[in-house]
């Protein structure tokens, strides 16, 4: 169970705009590189990118890039490169879902991108993400508004970005449609709050 998401979703009652993305794409293949192009006309100075894994660039529970997305993934990796790319997953790298870090290690090897080791699941791990970028050798990140978060869930990925003061890019359709009841309810709640926030 994602306690962080459960507790933070209560914030949506007071501020539904927390799950409102700054930009939306259908699938990972529609990701603009550089990511600043996704946020026109604001054109922020995006220096680093946080990637969700499941149903964003990978099939859920798999630790490889979904084959149709390999070219786009390579383009992103070429433009930003570590230390300006970071995978933040609630299934790989968390102390609860991946206590041995075996999934995180495999995912990092397969993608060439570090995976955040975090004890608090999204959307509650913003401080750890910012600390990673501020302290990583060679990083040019100096503030949260230079970071874009890319993910398929409104009240984990998008809410994470808004709580951090970063930029949220919502992958609306993802790789596959989830049949998981908890995920489906989460998507529904997020989309309802998103609809309210747009009014």
């Amino acid at each position: 169970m994602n306690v962080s998401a459960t507790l933070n979703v209560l914030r949506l009652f007071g501020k539904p705009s927390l799950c409102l993305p700054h930009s939306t794409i259908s699938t990972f293949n529609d990701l603009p590189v550089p990511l600043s192009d996704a946020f026109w006309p604001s054109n922020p100075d995006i220096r680093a990118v946080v990637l969700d894994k499941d149903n964003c660039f990978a099939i859920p529970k798999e630790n490889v890039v979904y084959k149709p997305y390999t070219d786009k993934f390579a383009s992103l990796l070429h433009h930003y490169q570590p230390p300006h790319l970071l995978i933040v997953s609630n299934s790989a790298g968390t102390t609860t879902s991946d206590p041995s870090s075996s999934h995180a290690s495999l995912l990092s090897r397969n993608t060439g991108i570090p995976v955040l080791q975090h004890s608090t699941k999204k959307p509650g791990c913003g401080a750890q993400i910012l600390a990673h970028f501020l302290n990583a050798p060679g990083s040019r990140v100096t503030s949260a508004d230079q970071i874009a978060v890319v993910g398929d869930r409104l009240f984990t990925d998008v809410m994470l970005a808004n709580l951090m003061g970063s930029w949220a890019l919502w992958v609306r359709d993802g790789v596959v449609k989830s049949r998981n009841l908890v995920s489906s309810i989460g998507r529904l709640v997020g989309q309802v709050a998103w609809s309210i926030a747009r009014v």
Side-chain angles (χ1 to χ4, degrees), residues 21-162:
H22 299 97
S23 185
T24 303
I25 56 176
S26 176
T27 72
F28 190 81
N29 261 349
D30 300 306
L31 188 73
V33 180
L35 261 75
S36 55
D37 293 345
F39 307 111
W40 186 90
S42 298
N43 292 323
D45 179 18
I46 301 298
R47 301 183 183 184
V49 180
V50 171
L51 295 175
D52 175 44
K53 176 181 78 78
D54 293 332
N55 219 25
C56 180
F57 69 80
I59 293 174
K61 298 184 179 180
E62 295 191 6
N63 292 310
V64 294
V65 178
Y66 182 50
K67 192 170 182 179
Y69 297 166
T70 52
D71 288 345
K72 177 62 69 173
F73 199 90
S75 174
L76 184 69
L77 187 60
H78 175 75
H79 187 86
Y80 287 97
Q81 304 178 353
H84 299 107
L85 284 171
L86 181 67
I87 295 172
V88 181
S89 169
N90 278 350
S91 61
T94 64
T95 55
T96 51
S97 299
D98 186 23
S100 67
S101 300
S102 58
H103 293 290
S105 298
L106 179 59
L107 180 60
S108 185
R109 286 198 304 270
N110 288 338
T111 60
I113 297 174
V115 178
L116 183 72
Q117 306 288 328
H118 53 298
S119 55
T120 303
K121 290 188 174 183
K122 295 178 291 184
C125 56
Q128 289 178 273
I129 293 170
L130 184 57
H132 169 86
F133 285 123
L134 292 177
N135 297 314
S139 174
R140 298 190 305 112
V141 173
T142 58
S143 62
D145 61 0
Q146 297 166 339
I147 301 170
V149 179
V150 181
D152 72 307
R153 295 193 181 182
L154 291 168
F155 75 83
T156 53
D157 304 305
V158 171
M159 192 173 181
L160 165 69
N162 285 319

Side-chain angles (χ1 to χ4, degrees), residues 161-199:
N162 285 319
L163 288 171
M164 288 178 62
S166 300
W167 295 84
L169 181 56
W170 180 35
V171 182
R172 185 186 61 227
D173 301 315
V175 180
V176 295
K177 286 190 175 182
S178 175
R179 293 184 174 87
N180 180 281
L181 179 61
V182 175
S183 297
S184 298
I185 292 173
R187 279 182 175 273
L188 178 61
V189 171
Q191 287 172 354
V192 168
W194 178 66
S195 299
I196 294 171
R198 294 183 68 198
V199 174

